[in-house]
Structures are given as structure tokens and as C-alpha cells.
């Protein structure tokens, strides 16, 4: 009984992220250099910076996706709420609480319904009524229920790119995560689909914490509460989005956001 209680306590993930002195190597290449950051709960935090600056690498540390990369080594402290995610944390449990949406939509080659129900089924939920409820709630959460409720049995691969990406968000929501990571989720989408994803993110932050990597600085100014600027593996500046863009404290931030490089 004691062990069970201890395990339950261990798995109480919060919605804020705290990182101290993070460093990451791919083999001999140092991709992150002494990064420390406090990401608030139920806000949208954007990571900006030129290609190869470490922002996506850093994002993937929060659900330990970098574990899958051979030769990757990470030091420092990463906490979600009070949980040390590089301690004795169950990685599957971590990824259930920290969902991820990738740059390119990646729906499974199965029906819309089965895409959303996939995660709950792997968690042992088998009852049709329960799955129906989760699928509807998740699709509503991704603002897709009305447009897909009559197409639940159709292949997800028949959806448009923007719909596929929102379906991937619904699939992530089905696990009821505390945090949603988004790695350039709109870079392959048209402006209308991009707008829908941005509206969705602003709605979702009422319930969950969102961290988004974006190359689109206008996107950061539109939706992010906080913005972090990365350069060559270092966190150069971090703070209120409006302040970072209107009165950057570091000359390198100013040079990047005014288009002098990047």
C-alpha cells in the first residue's frame, strides 16, 4: 500500500516546467548550453530563433523524445510540477501527461475515430460508450466535432493538411495531458488552417500549458504570452512576449527580430 501511495505521489505532474542548467550533446556536438527557464502553467510560451539554434531539441527534452536519439546525452534538472522527469519517472506516463504535435501532420492510416481512440485504448479503455465520450470530447477540444462527426469512420488520410494537424491535436488531447508541446505545427499549412490552429491554442491554454516552437515571429506575437529566443544552443532572452519584441534587452535578440540575420 505504501509503495502504491508513493507511486501515485511520484506521478502527480503539474503544469509548469522548470529547467536548471540544461546541457545536451549529440555525440561530441554540444547542442544546448547551460539553459535555465521557468515556463508558467496555462500560458502559451514560444521558442524562437534561427534554424539549428536548439529550440526543437530543447522542446523534445520535456517528454524525453531525445532518449530515442543515439549518442544523445543530457545533464541538468528538468521538472514538471514537482516531478523530476529524468529521475525514476515512467516515460510512458510522462508522455501521457506531456503530449506532442509535430511539424508535419502524422495521422495513423486508420479512421478518424480510431486515431483519437488509439491512446485511450492503449491505456486499457475498452468500453464503447467511454471511448465515444473521449473521442467526442477530444474532437470538440480541437474544434473539429461539427466538421467530422459524420466522418468518424472515414480514413484520416482523406482529410486536408490542416484537418490532419488538428486531428493530431485531438489525438494528443485524448490522453488528457497537462502540457502540449507543438513543434512548428503550422509550418506546412495554409494561412486559414494556421489561423484555426492559433485560435485553438488560445482556447486550449485555458486548461493546459502550451509550448510552441515557431519560425514565424508574427505567430509568436499573436499567440504567445512568453517568448524565449535561442541562438547557437543558448537561451539569449526570455520574458513577456510584448517586451521581448518591443524592447529586447539583448542586441542579438533585436538583430534577429528585425531581420538582420536568421
Amino acid at each position: 500500500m505504501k509503495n502504491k501511495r508513493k507511486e501515485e505521489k511520484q506521478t502527480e505532474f503539474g503544469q509548469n516546467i522548470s529547467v536548471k542548467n540544461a546541457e545536451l550533446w549529440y555525440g561530441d556536438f554540444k547542442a544546448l548550453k547551460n539553459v535555465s527557464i521557468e515556463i508558467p502553467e496555462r500560458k502559451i510560451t514560444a521558442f524562437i530563433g534561427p534554424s539549428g539554434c536548439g529550440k526543437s531539441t530543447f522542446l523534445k527534452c520535456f517528454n524525453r523524445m531525445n532518449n530515442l536519439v543515439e549518442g544523445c546525452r543530457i545533464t541538468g534538472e528538468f521538472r514538471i510540477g514537482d516531478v523530476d522527469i529524468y529521475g525514476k519517472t515512467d516515460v510512458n506516463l510522462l508522455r501521457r501527461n506531456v503530449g506532442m504535435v509535430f511539424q508535419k501532420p502524422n495521422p495513423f492510416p486508420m479512421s478518424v475515430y480510431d486515431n483519437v481512440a488509439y491512446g485511450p485504448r492503449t491505456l486499457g479503455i475498452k468500453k464503447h460508450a467511454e471511448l465515444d465520450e473521449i473521442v467526442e470530447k477530444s474532437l470538440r477540444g480541437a474544434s473539429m466535432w461539427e466538421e467530422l462527426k459524420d466522418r468518424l469512420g472515414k480514413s484520416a488520410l482523406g482529410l486536408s493538411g490542416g484537418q490532419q494537424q488538428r486531428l493530431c491535436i485531438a489525438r494528443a488531447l485524448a490522453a488528457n495531458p497537462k502540457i502540449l508541446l507543438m513543434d512548428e505545427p503550422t509550418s506546412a499549412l495554409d494561412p486559414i488552417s494556421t489561423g484555426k490552429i492559433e485560435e485553438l491554442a488560445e482556447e486550449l491554454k485555458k486548461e493546459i500549458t502550451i509550448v510552441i516552437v515557431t519560425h514565424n515571429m508574427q505567430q509568436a506575437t499573436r499567440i504567445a504570452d512568453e517568448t524565449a529566443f535561442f541562438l547557437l544552443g543558448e537561451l539569449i532572452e526570455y520574458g513577456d512576449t510584448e517586451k521581448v519584441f518591443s524592447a529586447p534587452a539583448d542586441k542579438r535578440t533585436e538583430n534577429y527580430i528585425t531581420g538582420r540575420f536568421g
Side-chain angles (χ1 to χ4, degrees), residues 40-105:
E41 64 181 13
R42 297 190 189 189
K43 302 273 188 190
I44 298 175
T45 299
F47 292 172
I48 63 169
S51 293
C53 67
K55 55 191 186 295
S56 288
T57 292
F58 189 50
L59 185 81
K60 289 172 186 169
C61 290
F62 303 153
N63 67 348
R64 291 179 53 173
M65 287 291 286
N66 291 312
N67 285 23
L68 307 173
V69 180
E70 196 173 339
C72 179
R73 185 165 61 89
I74 299 169
T75 61
E77 183 182 284
F78 291 80
R79 289 189 175 274
I80 292 178
D82 294 326
V83 178
D84 175 2
I85 64 170
Y86 283 85
K88 293 180 178 177
T89 305
D90 180 332
V91 176
N92 292 322
L93 192 59
L94 170 66
R95 290 179 188 152
R96 212 182 298 165
N97 282 274
V98 185
M100 185 150 191
V101 176
F102 297 91
Q103 184 172 354
K104 192 177 173 197

Side-chain angles (χ1 to χ4, degrees), residues 14-22 35-41 47 58 61-62 76-86 179 209 211 238:
Q15 290 187 288
N16 62 304
I17 301 169
S18 173
V19 181
K20 291 178 184 167
N21 310 118
V35 178
S36 296
I37 195 169
E38 299 284 336
I39 296 175
E41 64 181 13
F47 292 172
F58 189 50
C61 290
F62 303 153
E77 183 182 284
F78 291 80
R79 289 189 175 274
I80 292 178
D82 294 326
V83 178
D84 175 2
I85 64 170
Y86 283 85
I179 295 167
T209 303
V211 188
Y238 173 58

